[in-house]
Amino acid sequence: MTSIHSTKLAVIGSGLMGSALARAFASAGHDVAVWNRTPGKARAVGGGTVAFENLVEAVTGRALVVVSLSNYAAWTELVSSPAVASALSGSTLVQLTSGSPADARGGLEWARAHGVDYLDAAILAYPAFVATDYATVYYAGSRAVFERHQETLQAIAKNSVYVDEKIGSAATLDCAILEAYYGGSLAVLHAAAMCQAEGLDPKAFFAQKNSFLGLISVTADAAQDMIERNDFTGQQCSLNTHVAAIEHIVRLSTDARISSRFPRELLENYRRALGAGLGAQELPAVFRTLTAVP
């Protein structure tokens, strides 16, 4: 893949993700400087990138600086140096370090104080999927800044999604998607454990993947509409009925002597909705017990 316009950029952090990002930018024809606290890791990136041992030299004169570190604290430590902060002035910083919306807001505050344009971003992909159709990157911050660098940023993910001006919105969306992923994955694994404990080959469960994924999809669509209308009434299946079904899952887990912690946690959350008087409403009514909004 080649780019019409070559951008001078730097990638800070040469872990698995940072290395994949740097190589993707270089493969697209960009001038890529790389830096890592351990110089040997930066030199190992290769792929047409140029390794620097000095961070100030790595970022000086770079229009775009992409950061991929273990956490925001590591970045804060690096930019505590006045020389580094000064070298970044006038550039655009794209923060791809995983963090919370509060981290993003702190990053924007620092950037504004030092004359740096700032985008907070979240990548939904493993390093091996960078620059493939399986990669998605969410961006938050100034739309004008995003559009200025969009062509360059598509080197790491053609599916580059601008979320919102609110700087924490990309991190929020990332956390929301990951919660659905991790929670759903745990549910799937617990379900397989129940089958095995009862002498049913888990293959029989996994063969029904389309059934439970379809139910989740239908519920998500219904929830979107109900949350928007703030109306959780319906004629499909009441929360009372769903709670009874979860009680069966807890009993099965207990009888089979496998961990029942996860279904008990589910049951507690759903029963809380019953306690709030929502038992006659649809499943998405649980949303009302999870927010501060009346």
Side-chain angles (χ1 to χ4, degrees), residues 43-82:
R43 290 193 294 270
V45 175
T49 64
V50 179
F52 285 79
E53 293 192 10
N54 184 284
L55 179 55
V56 172
E57 293 178 1
V59 301
T60 296
R62 301 284 164 172
L64 193 65
V65 177
V66 178
V67 182
S68 178
L69 297 173
S70 56
N71 52 55
Y72 272 74
W75 172 247
T76 300
E77 181 182 346
L78 291 179
V79 296
S80 64
S81 161

Side-chain angles (χ1 to χ4, degrees), residues 11-15 17-19 21 66-70 94-97:
V11 176
I12 308 306
S14 302
M17 182 59 76
S19 297
L21 297 172
V66 178
V67 182
S68 178
L69 297 173
S70 56
V94 177
Q95 184 61 269
L96 266 166
T97 300

Side-chain angles (χ1 to χ4, degrees), residues 14 28 104 131 134 146-148 158 166 178-179 219 228 237 260 266 275 279 289 294:
S14 302
Y134 297 102
F146 169 74
E147 291 179 348
R148 186 193 318 153
K158 287 183 180 178
K166 298 183 186 69
L178 289 178
E179 181 183 31
T219 302
E228 186 175 355
C237 185
S260 62
L266 281 178
T289 69

